Amino acid sequence: MSTVVKENQGAVILDGKAVAAKERQKTAVRVGEFAAKFGRPPGLAVVQVGEDPASTVYVRNKRKSCAEVGIASFAHDLPESTSEAELLALVKRLNDDERVDGILIQMPVPKSIDADRVMDAVDPAKDADGFHPMNTGYLAQKRPRLRPCTPYGVIRLAEHYGIDLKGKRAVVVGASNIVGRPMALELLLARSTVTVCHTGTRDLRAEVERAEVLVVAVGRPEFIPGEWIRPGAAVFDVGINRLPDGKLVGDVGYAAAAARAGWITPVPGGLGPMTIAMLLSNTVDAAYLRKGVPIA
Ligand code: GUN
């Protein structure tokens, strides 16, 4: 019965905001347990270099969310003129600071700074974003440790709604180091059959039309027309794009996609809150790992 309703009325909306709130509740409990055991809360350093307006909003949300679950947040706001050496020196200080379990450098950093060098400098045990090549490598070898937050958020959201990824034809559009590539590794871990599309892909439409699970992370407003969505597909839209009129839209044409999909994430209220929830969860995982306690 419920399947018929779903087909007649369009997609189930994947409520990232609600699921993220549940994840934060679980994290808050683990934060309390950690603090009782070790005499201090888990700590996350959130570093922003420059004043990119979107980054400022994300960083504010991350710090606010830390406070909500009881994680100690250490704010470092550096000017646009910060040199790579200065940022690396801060990363070293944070690596050596016992109160800091997680380190997050908000991307993008100014062009004068080599982002790869900065990510490589973060202690992999404190890599709350899961961006360090060592953590990507662990994920590639199907023994995940600290997992990149947005791809991990997609997996948790799918789990929450009972979307079985095993055996599904999954297509990822976008091959960035922070979303597309680790997303492909997460889907592979979940036993999907995975295709990654990028600027070298010959027939993007044909690939998308085959997708039973579609993840789009390209950062361009409504880049994938909703008409391309395979009927019944699970659609995870990672994009958050602000239009000139101030409206936020994803990377997928939402209205047409929602009429065809089985499940779809809204923008906003989909993967944005899930990403932050997984960051908080990673911070507590990192705190326990640093105390020698394996992740549950
Ligand atoms: N920039 C865009 N997304 C992210 C993220 O998840 N973490 C960091 N550090 N920077 C980002």
Side-chain angles (χ1 to χ4, degrees):
M1 280 285 272
S2 63
T3 326
V4 174
V5 169
K6 197 168 70 191
E7 282 173 7
N8 286 345
Q9 297 188 345
V12 169
I13 311 302
L14 299 170
D15 188 348
K17 202 170 157 192
V19 176
K22 283 196 182 154
E23 293 286 342
R24 286 199 304 274
Q25 277 172 10
K26 284 195 277 177
T27 297
V29 172
R30 294 173 65 218
V31 166
E33 288 166 357
F34 182 93
K37 200 158 176 202
F38 298 106
R40 64 159 182 88
L44 177 66
V46 180
V47 181
Q48 184 179 359
V49 187
E51 285 166 13
D52 175 73
S55 290
T56 301
V57 174
Y58 298 146
V59 161
R60 194 190 307 137
N61 282 338
K62 288 172 185 181
R63 289 174 182 156
K64 200 176 97 203
S65 304
C66 279
E68 250 177 60
V69 299
I71 290 175
S73 119
F74 302 93
H76 294 270
D77 293 310
L78 308 182
E80 180 83 21
S81 59
T82 302
S83 70
E84 185 177 299
E86 286 167 328
L87 181 56
L88 289 172
L90 172 62
V91 169
K92 178 163 183 349
R93 280 214 315 279
L94 297 172
N95 282 344
D96 293 340
D97 188 335
E98 266 315 300
R99 302 165 304 162
V100 172
D101 298 290
I103 301 170
L104 176 148
I105 321 288
Q106 185 64 30
M107 297 291 159
V109 288
K111 285 191 177 59
S112 57
I113 297 176
D114 182 339
D116 286 344
R117 219 173 279 159
V118 175
M119 282 190 259
D120 289 358
V122 171
D123 179 348
K126 294 190 175 188
D127 175 30
D129 258 327
F131 288 172
H132 192 283
M134 187 174 282
N135 287 314
T136 311
Y138 277 125
L139 180 59
Q141 291 194 357
K142 54 183 190 294
R143 42 182 183 146
R145 198 170 282 195
L146 296 173
R147 302 159 73 159
C149 305
T150 302
Y152 193 16
V154 169
I155 299 296
R156 291 293 269 267
L157 197 53
E159 268 171 19
H160 189 89
Y161 280 88
I163 301 171
D164 186 10
L165 299 170
K166 185 173 168 218
K168 293 281 167 61
R169 199 185 293 277
V171 174
V172 180
V173 182
S176 69
N177 283 336
I178 69 176
V179 185
R181 280 163 203 261
M183 188 71 248
L185 295 172
E186 284 284 358
L187 289 163
L188 187 57
L189 189 68
R191 301 185 53 68
S192 298
T193 300
V194 186
T195 300
V196 183
C197 300
H198 42 76
T199 50
T201 297
R202 219 176 327 123
D203 189 348
L204 181 61
R205 179 176 186 153
E207 302 295 346
V208 169
E209 282 178 342
R210 269 197 288 275
E212 295 168 296
V213 175
L214 179 70
V215 183
V216 187
V218 293
R220 292 214 225 158
E222 302 181 334
F223 180 69
I224 301 293
E227 292 75 15
W228 291 9
I229 302 303
R230 179 187 167 116
V235 178
F236 297 89
D237 189 347
V238 174
I240 305 178
N241 309 289
R242 195 170 288 281
L243 298 180
D245 67 3
K247 193 173 163 234
L248 286 180
V249 298
D251 290 352
V252 178
Y254 184 81
R260 299 171 66 87
W263 298 268
I264 190 167
T265 55
V267 177
L271 290 163
M274 286 304 294
T275 297
I276 298 185
M278 299 336 292
L279 169 71
L280 304 174
S281 170
N282 275 354
T283 301
V284 183
D285 285 350
Y288 273 112
L289 280 172
R290 293 180 62 244
K291 297 288 185 188
V293 183
I295 300 171

